[in-house]
PDB file of all heavy atoms in Angstrom:
ATOM      1  N   PRO A 225     -61.283 -50.196  -1.997  1.00  0.00           N
ATOM      2  CA  PRO A 225     -61.294 -50.792  -3.343  1.00  0.00           C
ATOM      3  C   PRO A 225     -59.939 -51.368  -3.755  1.00  0.00           C
ATOM      4  O   PRO A 225     -59.879 -52.466  -4.330  1.00  0.00           O
ATOM      5  CB  PRO A 225     -61.694 -49.625  -4.252  1.00  0.00           C
ATOM      6  CG  PRO A 225     -62.363 -48.653  -3.364  1.00  0.00           C
ATOM      7  CD  PRO A 225     -61.709 -48.778  -2.027  1.00  0.00           C
ATOM      8  N   ASP A 226     -58.843 -50.653  -3.489  1.00  0.00           N
ATOM      9  CA  ASP A 226     -57.531 -51.138  -3.914  1.00  0.00           C
ATOM     10  C   ASP A 226     -57.172 -52.456  -3.232  1.00  0.00           C
ATOM     11  O   ASP A 226     -56.606 -53.367  -3.854  1.00  0.00           O
ATOM     12  CB  ASP A 226     -56.459 -50.085  -3.612  1.00  0.00           C
ATOM     13  CG  ASP A 226     -56.605 -48.842  -4.471  1.00  0.00           C
ATOM     14  OD1 ASP A 226     -57.116 -48.957  -5.604  1.00  0.00           O
ATOM     15  OD2 ASP A 226     -56.221 -47.752  -4.009  1.00  0.00           O
ATOM     16  N   LEU A 227     -57.498 -52.555  -1.956  1.00  0.00           N
ATOM     17  CA  LEU A 227     -57.240 -53.787  -1.216  1.00  0.00           C
ATOM     18  C   LEU A 227     -57.953 -54.965  -1.858  1.00  0.00           C
ATOM     19  O   LEU A 227     -57.357 -56.031  -2.096  1.00  0.00           O
ATOM     20  CB  LEU A 227     -57.694 -53.613   0.235  1.00  0.00           C
ATOM     21  CG  LEU A 227     -57.712 -54.876   1.100  1.00  0.00           C
ATOM     22  CD1 LEU A 227     -56.299 -55.310   1.419  1.00  0.00           C
ATOM     23  CD2 LEU A 227     -58.489 -54.625   2.395  1.00  0.00           C
ATOM     24  N   TRP A 228     -59.235 -54.782  -2.181  1.00  0.00           N
ATOM     25  CA  TRP A 228     -60.022 -55.908  -2.674  1.00  0.00           C
ATOM     26  C   TRP A 228     -59.765 -56.220  -4.147  1.00  0.00           C
ATOM     27  O   TRP A 228     -59.810 -57.386  -4.541  1.00  0.00           O
ATOM     28  CB  TRP A 228     -61.505 -55.694  -2.367  1.00  0.00           C
ATOM     29  CG  TRP A 228     -61.726 -56.079  -0.946  1.00  0.00           C
ATOM     30  CD1 TRP A 228     -61.767 -55.261   0.142  1.00  0.00           C
ATOM     31  CD2 TRP A 228     -61.799 -57.422  -0.448  1.00  0.00           C
ATOM     32  NE1 TRP A 228     -61.887 -56.001   1.291  1.00  0.00           N
ATOM     33  CE2 TRP A 228     -61.913 -57.329   0.961  1.00  0.00           C
ATOM     34  CE3 TRP A 228     -61.796 -58.674  -1.050  1.00  0.00           C
ATOM     35  CZ2 TRP A 228     -62.015 -58.468   1.763  1.00  0.00           C
ATOM     36  CZ3 TRP A 228     -61.896 -59.804  -0.245  1.00  0.00           C
ATOM     37  CH2 TRP A 228     -62.007 -59.690   1.135  1.00  0.00           C
ATOM     38  N   VAL A 229     -59.446 -55.230  -4.937  1.00  0.00           N
ATOM     39  CA  VAL A 229     -59.055 -55.514  -6.316  1.00  0.00           C
ATOM     40  C   VAL A 229     -57.795 -56.385  -6.328  1.00  0.00           C
ATOM     41  O   VAL A 229     -57.696 -57.353  -7.098  1.00  0.00           O
ATOM     42  CB  VAL A 229     -58.831 -54.213  -7.110  1.00  0.00           C
ATOM     43  CG1 VAL A 229     -58.123 -54.491  -8.428  1.00  0.00           C
ATOM     44  CG2 VAL A 229     -60.164 -53.526  -7.380  1.00  0.00           C
ATOM     45  N   ALA A 230     -56.839 -56.066  -5.465  1.00  0.00           N
ATOM     46  CA  ALA A 230     -55.617 -56.880  -5.382  1.00  0.00           C
ATOM     47  C   ALA A 230     -55.937 -58.312  -4.980  1.00  0.00           C
ATOM     48  O   ALA A 230     -55.374 -59.272  -5.537  1.00  0.00           O
ATOM     49  CB  ALA A 230     -54.641 -56.242  -4.392  1.00  0.00           C
ATOM     50  N   ILE A 231     -56.840 -58.482  -4.027  1.00  0.00           N
ATOM     51  CA  ILE A 231     -57.212 -59.834  -3.593  1.00  0.00           C
ATOM     52  C   ILE A 231     -57.885 -60.592  -4.730  1.00  0.00           C
ATOM     53  O   ILE A 231     -57.559 -61.761  -5.003  1.00  0.00           O
ATOM     54  CB  ILE A 231     -58.136 -59.756  -2.361  1.00  0.00           C
ATOM     55  CG1 ILE A 231     -57.353 -59.257  -1.143  1.00  0.00           C
ATOM     56  CG2 ILE A 231     -58.771 -61.120  -2.062  1.00  0.00           C
ATOM     57  CD1 ILE A 231     -58.207 -58.916   0.057  1.00  0.00           C
ATOM     58  N   PHE A 232     -58.824 -59.958  -5.417  1.00  0.00           N
ATOM     59  CA  PHE A 232     -59.514 -60.623  -6.529  1.00  0.00           C
ATOM     60  C   PHE A 232     -58.513 -61.092  -7.585  1.00  0.00           C
ATOM     61  O   PHE A 232     -58.612 -62.209  -8.106  1.00  0.00           O
ATOM     62  CB  PHE A 232     -60.524 -59.677  -7.181  1.00  0.00           C
ATOM     63  CG  PHE A 232     -61.646 -59.235  -6.287  1.00  0.00           C
ATOM     64  CD1 PHE A 232     -62.320 -58.053  -6.547  1.00  0.00           C
ATOM     65  CD2 PHE A 232     -62.028 -59.975  -5.179  1.00  0.00           C
ATOM     66  CE1 PHE A 232     -63.358 -57.629  -5.739  1.00  0.00           C
ATOM     67  CE2 PHE A 232     -63.060 -59.560  -4.355  1.00  0.00           C
ATOM     68  CZ  PHE A 232     -63.732 -58.380  -4.636  1.00  0.00           C
ATOM     69  N   LEU A 233     -57.548 -60.246  -7.916  1.00  0.00           N
ATOM     70  CA  LEU A 233     -56.604 -60.567  -8.986  1.00  0.00           C
ATOM     71  C   LEU A 233     -55.541 -61.570  -8.545  1.00  0.00           C
ATOM     72  O   LEU A 233     -54.865 -62.160  -9.389  1.00  0.00           O
ATOM     73  CB  LEU A 233     -55.943 -59.288  -9.501  1.00  0.00           C
ATOM     74  CG  LEU A 233     -56.885 -58.328 -10.236  1.00  0.00           C
ATOM     75  CD1 LEU A 233     -56.151 -57.058 -10.650  1.00  0.00           C
ATOM     76  CD2 LEU A 233     -57.506 -59.003 -11.463  1.00  0.00           C
ATOM     77  N   GLU A 234     -55.404 -61.787  -7.242  1.00  0.00           N
ATOM     78  CA  GLU A 234     -54.511 -62.830  -6.746  1.00  0.00           C
ATOM     79  C   GLU A 234     -55.183 -64.196  -6.732  1.00  0.00           C
ATOM     80  O   GLU A 234     -54.513 -65.218  -6.589  1.00  0.00           O
ATOM     81  CB  GLU A 234     -54.038 -62.476  -5.328  1.00  0.00           C
ATOM     82  CG  GLU A 234     -52.981 -61.399  -5.256  1.00  0.00           C
ATOM     83  CD  GLU A 234     -51.633 -61.870  -5.772  1.00  0.00           C
ATOM     84  OE1 GLU A 234     -51.062 -62.779  -5.165  1.00  0.00           O
ATOM     85  OE2 GLU A 234     -51.163 -61.324  -6.788  1.00  0.00           O
ATOM     86  N   ASN A 235     -56.496 -64.233  -6.882  1.00  0.00           N
ATOM     87  CA  ASN A 235     -57.227 -65.500  -6.799  1.00  0.00           C
ATOM     88  C   ASN A 235     -58.306 -65.576  -7.878  1.00  0.00           C
ATOM     89  O   ASN A 235     -59.461 -65.924  -7.601  1.00  0.00           O
ATOM     90  CB  ASN A 235     -57.866 -65.612  -5.396  1.00  0.00           C
ATOM     91  CG  ASN A 235     -58.323 -67.021  -5.069  1.00  0.00           C
ATOM     92  OD1 ASN A 235     -57.824 -67.996  -5.611  1.00  0.00           O
ATOM     93  ND2 ASN A 235     -59.291 -67.128  -4.172  1.00  0.00           N
ATOM     94  N   PRO A 236     -57.974 -65.283  -9.132  1.00  0.00           N
ATOM     95  CA  PRO A 236     -59.022 -65.128 -10.152  1.00  0.00           C
ATOM     96  C   PRO A 236     -59.735 -66.423 -10.519  1.00  0.00           C
ATOM     97  O   PRO A 236     -60.961 -66.414 -10.718  1.00  0.00           O
ATOM     98  CB  PRO A 236     -58.264 -64.550 -11.350  1.00  0.00           C
ATOM     99  CG  PRO A 236     -56.849 -65.016 -11.152  1.00  0.00           C
ATOM    100  CD  PRO A 236     -56.628 -65.014  -9.674  1.00  0.00           C
ATOM    101  N   ASP A 237     -59.020 -67.524 -10.618  1.00  0.00           N
ATOM    102  CA  ASP A 237     -59.642 -68.762 -11.101  1.00  0.00           C
ATOM    103  C   ASP A 237     -60.690 -69.285 -10.125  1.00  0.00           C
ATOM    104  O   ASP A 237     -61.810 -69.636 -10.518  1.00  0.00           O
ATOM    105  CB  ASP A 237     -58.580 -69.827 -11.370  1.00  0.00           C
ATOM    106  CG  ASP A 237     -57.657 -69.437 -12.513  1.00  0.00           C
ATOM    107  OD1 ASP A 237     -58.074 -68.620 -13.369  1.00  0.00           O
ATOM    108  OD2 ASP A 237     -56.520 -69.932 -12.551  1.00  0.00           O
ATOM    109  N   HIS A 238     -60.329 -69.337  -8.857  1.00  0.00           N
ATOM    110  CA  HIS A 238     -61.296 -69.817  -7.866  1.00  0.00           C
ATOM    111  C   HIS A 238     -62.467 -68.848  -7.725  1.00  0.00           C
ATOM    112  O   HIS A 238     -63.613 -69.276  -7.521  1.00  0.00           O
ATOM    113  CB  HIS A 238     -60.618 -70.022  -6.516  1.00  0.00           C
ATOM    114  CG  HIS A 238     -59.704 -71.206  -6.472  1.00  0.00           C
ATOM    115  ND1 HIS A 238     -60.061 -72.440  -6.953  1.00  0.00           N
ATOM    116  CD2 HIS A 238     -58.428 -71.345  -5.985  1.00  0.00           C
ATOM    117  CE1 HIS A 238     -59.065 -73.300  -6.774  1.00  0.00           C
ATOM    118  NE2 HIS A 238     -58.069 -72.655  -6.189  1.00  0.00           N
ATOM    119  N   LEU A 239     -62.203 -67.564  -7.829  1.00  0.00           N
ATOM    120  CA  LEU A 239     -63.288 -66.589  -7.715  1.00  0.00           C
ATOM    121  C   LEU A 239     -64.221 -66.679  -8.921  1.00  0.00           C
ATOM    122  O   LEU A 239     -65.449 -66.590  -8.760  1.00  0.00           O
ATOM    123  CB  LEU A 239     -62.721 -65.174  -7.578  1.00  0.00           C
ATOM    124  CG  LEU A 239     -63.747 -64.041  -7.449  1.00  0.00           C
ATOM    125  CD1 LEU A 239     -64.748 -64.311  -6.333  1.00  0.00           C
ATOM    126  CD2 LEU A 239     -63.036 -62.705  -7.217  1.00  0.00           C
ATOM    127  N   LEU A 240     -63.689 -66.879 -10.102  1.00  0.00           N
ATOM    128  CA  LEU A 240     -64.543 -67.038 -11.285  1.00  0.00           C
ATOM    129  C   LEU A 240     -65.435 -68.266 -11.154  1.00  0.00           C
ATOM    130  O   LEU A 240     -66.616 -68.231 -11.516  1.00  0.00           O
ATOM    131  CB  LEU A 240     -63.684 -67.131 -12.548  1.00  0.00           C
ATOM    132  CG  LEU A 240     -63.089 -65.806 -13.036  1.00  0.00           C
ATOM    133  CD1 LEU A 240     -62.024 -66.071 -14.094  1.00  0.00           C
ATOM    134  CD2 LEU A 240     -64.182 -64.895 -13.594  1.00  0.00           C
TER     135      LEU A 240
END
Side-chain angles (χ1 to χ4, degrees):
D226 292 331
L227 170 72
W228 279 97
V229 167
I231 291 170
F232 297 156
L233 293 177
E234 284 289 296
N235 195 24
D237 294 336
H238 288 313
L239 180 53
L240 284 168

